[in-house]
Amino acid sequence: MQEYVEFGEQFIFFAMGIASILALAVFLERLLYFRKSLGKTNESFLSEVRTSLQEASEVNWKTEPNEESIYSRFVKFALRQLSLGRKGLDESLEGQILSEKLELEKRLPILNTLGNNAPFIGLLGTVLGVIKAFYGLGTLGSSGAEVVMRSISTALLATAAGLAVAIPVVMANNYFSRKAKVILQNLEILKTEFHSFLLNKTKG
């Protein structure tokens, strides 16, 4: 039994290492993706497009956004769909927003899963370490106090490792979720502005 406990304890630390590497990879990938649609350049572009739509003038902009920006893709897509009429525009823009939502939330479930489960994995490592410590205490008696203390220290380290992985992962997941919500709200605003623009254009 002791061999299984030691193997389980080692496996816990190995799993925590893999989880931290995976979380870092997802964080960097999502950070690079979100940065394409964030920043002052994209905010200026968004503001210029909304102003043009509200004034019912020709939709153009002076600020050149990132070609891979969500706002840039959405505006260009909407301009191509204006000829579909109000109903067709509504359906096509709604579909585009859903498509962008899927891309924004891509891989975020990985961060959510790691953030929720890393503390429990660490706790499992602690339980295994305590089992090992008590087993050593029962086998070696008072002469094995040093071994027991080392086992308990390792057990507590597993919990610390779980929290060390979980806390930044949860923070990263919350950050990306908030940014995704803001971007999607801006897309909804753009959709409404394009509807008003088309309506005014039709009346004119």
Side-chain angles (χ1 to χ4, degrees):
M1 175 180 145
Q2 183 72 355
E3 294 179 359
Y4 291 112
V5 171
E6 290 182 357
F7 173 78
E9 195 176 21
Q10 293 174 0
F11 178 78
I12 291 298
F13 282 104
F14 176 76
M16 296 302 295
I18 295 297
S20 61
I21 293 173
L22 178 61
L24 180 61
V26 172
F27 171 76
L28 293 176
E29 188 275 335
R30 289 288 85 188
L31 183 63
L32 292 174
Y33 180 82
F34 273 79
R35 283 187 65 182
K36 296 173 183 177
S37 300
L38 299 174
K40 292 183 178 179
T41 300
N42 286 294
E43 290 176 4
S44 298
F45 169 76
L46 188 61
S47 177
E48 290 175 11
V49 171
R50 289 192 61 198
T51 300
S52 296
L53 291 171
Q54 290 167 1
E55 294 176 352
S57 59
E58 182 181 353
V59 182
N60 52 47
W61 52 87
K62 297 178 182 178
T63 304
E64 287 297 329
N66 188 326
E67 288 296 325
E68 298 180 16
S69 164
I70 290 175
Y71 299 134
S72 176
R73 287 200 305 267
F74 187 82
V75 169
K76 291 177 180 178
F77 175 82
L79 290 173
R80 292 196 300 269
Q81 304 303 310
L82 285 175
S83 60
L84 296 177
R86 190 170 183 180
K87 184 177 180 181
L89 180 65
D90 180 68
E91 292 176 351
S92 61
L93 292 187
E94 190 62 35
Q96 183 67 12
I97 290 175
L98 290 175
S99 176
E100 296 295 351
K101 181 179 180 181
L102 290 175
E103 287 298 318
L104 285 168
E105 295 178 349
K106 192 176 182 181
R107 298 187 181 88
L108 291 187
I110 296 175
L111 294 181
N112 188 45
T113 301
L114 292 177
N116 288 334
N117 293 288
F120 295 107
I121 297 174
L123 183 60
L124 176 60
T126 297
V127 172
L128 293 175
V130 171
I131 292 173
K132 180 180 176 182
F134 277 105
Y135 180 85
L137 184 62
T139 303
L140 302 174
S142 59
S143 61
E146 185 179 343
V147 175
V148 172
M149 295 302 290
R150 283 202 302 266
S151 297
I152 293 177
S153 175
T154 303
L156 295 175
L157 187 60
T159 297
L163 292 174
V165 172
I167 292 173
V169 166
V170 169
M171 292 175 64
N173 185 55
N174 290 340
Y175 171 80
F176 291 130
S177 296
R178 286 196 304 270
K179 292 300 181 182
K181 186 177 181 180
V182 170
I183 291 173
L184 290 172
Q185 287 175 340
N186 283 331
L187 294 184
E188 289 288 348
I189 292 172
L190 280 176
K191 185 183 81 168
T192 303
E193 299 285 5
F194 269 104
H195 276 298
S196 299
F197 172 78
L198 183 61
L199 184 62
N200 291 331
K201 190 176 180 181
T202 303
K203 288 181 178 179

